[in-house]
Amino acid sequence: MFCPNCGKADQTMETYCRQCGSFLPDFEKAAKKITTPEDHLKANTVMSLMSGIVSLTLAMILYLMFLGKEGTPVIIYVVAGFLTAMFAWQAQVFIRTLMLKKQLEKPQDFVNVADIRDQSDAVESRPTNELLPEADFENVVPASVTENTTNLLKEEVKRSTES
């Protein structure tokens, strides 16, 4: 393998280059690891369901143990409220993920290429010289002020090679 940074040959994948120190990933391994949107939706569904259940369970435990008891710190009620809000958030994420899954499962309407070709014939083609204005060569600005100025020097300057 060649280092993509410096070009040094005979490198080992999943290590660092011996010349420049760049990490050399295994590109074939990364290509095999491609995940689909369905895989991401499945993971999102499981994670939102699990975190929703855990947050609701913890909120219920806090409410059952401390609700109405004298001397309960206010922070307990605040935490229980946040856990309840987390459950509500994760529930709506779960529902939206299920709706998105249904949307992806529907067959997609593909555009027919023949229809596009038929529509493109309706567009009138014109030569390019009719669309572009004529070039104005009277007000041309050179690319650089110093361009071709060395051609005007009459004598050759001798440079010494001594330092």
Side-chain angles (χ1 to χ4, degrees):
M1 170 180 191
F2 290 95
C3 175
N5 190 29
C6 68
K8 177 138 174 77
D10 300 326
Q11 300 285 339
T12 308
M13 292 183 281
E14 297 293 321
T15 60
Y16 293 92
C17 177
R18 293 180 292 245
Q19 184 162 339
C20 69
S22 297
F23 183 70
L24 306 170
D26 186 2
F27 294 111
E28 293 175 9
K29 183 178 177 183
K32 294 176 187 174
K33 221 178 192 182
I34 295 174
T35 57
T36 63
E38 289 82 10
D39 295 337
H40 290 286
L41 285 175
K42 184 177 181 181
N44 194 20
T45 304
V46 170
M47 293 302 289
S48 63
L49 183 65
M50 286 176 35
S51 60
I53 290 172
V54 168
S55 61
L56 182 65
T57 304
L58 290 174
M60 287 175 39
I61 289 172
L62 286 176
Y63 283 131
L64 290 175
M65 293 188 71
F66 295 105
L67 189 64
K69 306 261 176 152
E70 289 185 30
T72 302
V74 176
I75 191 71
I76 299 294
Y77 296 116
V78 171
V79 169
F82 277 126
L83 287 170
T84 306
M86 282 178 53
F87 167 73
W89 179 263
Q90 292 301 329
Q92 68 90 18
V93 168
F94 179 76
I95 291 169
R96 288 178 186 265
T97 304
L98 290 180
M99 290 168 46
L100 187 58
K101 269 186 179 179
K102 287 180 185 177
Q103 190 72 19
L104 282 178
E105 290 172 359
K106 290 181 183 177
Q108 300 291 324
D109 294 331
F110 293 103
V111 177
N112 191 357
V113 177
D115 293 341
I116 294 174
R117 287 186 186 138
D118 293 340
Q119 292 174 0
S120 65
D121 291 339
V123 176
E124 181 183 327
S125 63
R126 295 186 347 193
T128 308
N129 62 353
E130 293 177 13
L131 300 175
L132 296 174
E134 288 293 323
D136 181 17
F137 292 111
E138 292 179 9
N139 298 322
V140 175
V141 178
S144 172
V145 176
T146 59
E147 186 176 320
N148 298 326
T149 56
T150 55
N151 295 339
L152 303 176
L153 295 175
K154 294 186 181 188
E155 63 183 59
E156 188 175 315
V157 178
K158 294 184 181 181
R159 299 177 191 246
S160 64
T161 56
E162 298 175 14
S163 299

